[in-house]
């Protein structure tokens, strides 16, 4: 499963009739809410967890490009953390097909760790409408990046999944590279007037923050910005 969150329901409608009774679904989507959506529709026992550590973007012409950001690694596993034959078989198939893949004993924590970073990146780049290299040379850039990462980390930590220091440093490093053209796919979507995963990524964290009593002004500002963008894009304003 590599669709965008706003296409998830339609994707399930399309593939569910072809899914075997003992079949499994491996999502490598951003965020965390899709696990509940898939489990509700298909049954929790049929859903795996996954993380893809590379960026792909969709051009206006419909081509899918990999801009060279990320390790090109896919990690996946059972949501329970146990080892299973089906994961071994999926891993072997991925590797045979040229996909760098590893089976994780704690895939849920890995998903939350990426959630921390990708949500901060989405907020940073969509609020500034800028690539990493542009933010790197801005005098306020480094402090802004750190503040956004701290916000997302506070929420995910309160949910029981503190991000590893390496994740924070990875994303901080992305935004310290002068000349880098790197950006999250959400910025590409905005630039090309496409729908975004704003609610699935930023909206989810803001709602969690509200429930937990955590202040997240950067995330809330980014969410509001993208809600206005979506309304304009759909002709509602």
């Amino acid at each position: 499963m590599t669709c965008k969150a706003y296409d998830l329901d339609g994707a399930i409608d399309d593939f569910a009739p072809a899914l075997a009774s003992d079949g499994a679904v491996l999502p490598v989507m951003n965020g965390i809410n899709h696990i509940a959506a898939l489990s509700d529709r298909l049954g929790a026992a049929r859903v795996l967890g996954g993380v893809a550590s590379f960026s792909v973007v969709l051009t206006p012409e419909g081509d899918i490009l990999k801009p060279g950001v990320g390790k090109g690694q896919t990690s996946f596993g059972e949501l329970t953390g146990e080892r299973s034959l089906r994961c071994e078989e999926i891993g072997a198939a991925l590797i045979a097909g040229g996909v760098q893949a590893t089976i994780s004993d704690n895939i849920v924590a890995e998903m939350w760790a990426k959630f921390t970073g990708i949500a901060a990146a989405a907020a940073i780049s969509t609020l500034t409408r800028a690539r990493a290299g542009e933010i790197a040379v801005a005098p306020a850039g480094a402090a802004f990046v750190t503040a956004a990462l701290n916000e997302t980390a506070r929420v995910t930590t309160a949910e029981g999944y503190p991000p590893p220091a390496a994740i924070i440093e990875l994303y901080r490093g992305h935004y310290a590279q002068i000349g880098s053209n790197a950006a999250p796919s959400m910025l590409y979507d905005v630039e090309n007037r496409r729908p975004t995963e704003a609610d699935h990524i930023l909206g989810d964290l803001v709602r969690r923050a509200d429930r937990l009593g955590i202040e997240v002004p950067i995330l809330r500002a980014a969410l509001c910005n993208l809600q206005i963008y979506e309304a304009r894009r759909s002709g509602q304003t």
Side-chain angles (χ1 to χ4, degrees), residues 4 28-32 34 52 114-115 118 185 197 200-201:
K4 293 287 190 178
V28 288
M29 299 167 63
N30 292 327
I32 202 77
H34 58 278
K114 185 181 179 184
F115 192 13
I118 199 65
S185 60
E197 293 183 301
H200 180 69
I201 302 296

Side-chain angles (χ1 to χ4, degrees), residues 44-45 47-49 77-84 86 104-108:
V47 181
L48 304 174
E78 298 285 348
L79 296 173
T80 59
E82 64 189 33
R83 288 277 169 156
S84 67
R86 65 183 180 180
S104 171
D105 295 326
N106 198 3
I107 193 60
V108 174

Side-chain angles (χ1 to χ4, degrees), residues 113-126:
K114 185 181 179 184
F115 192 13
T116 302
I118 199 65
I124 293 162
S125 286
T126 56

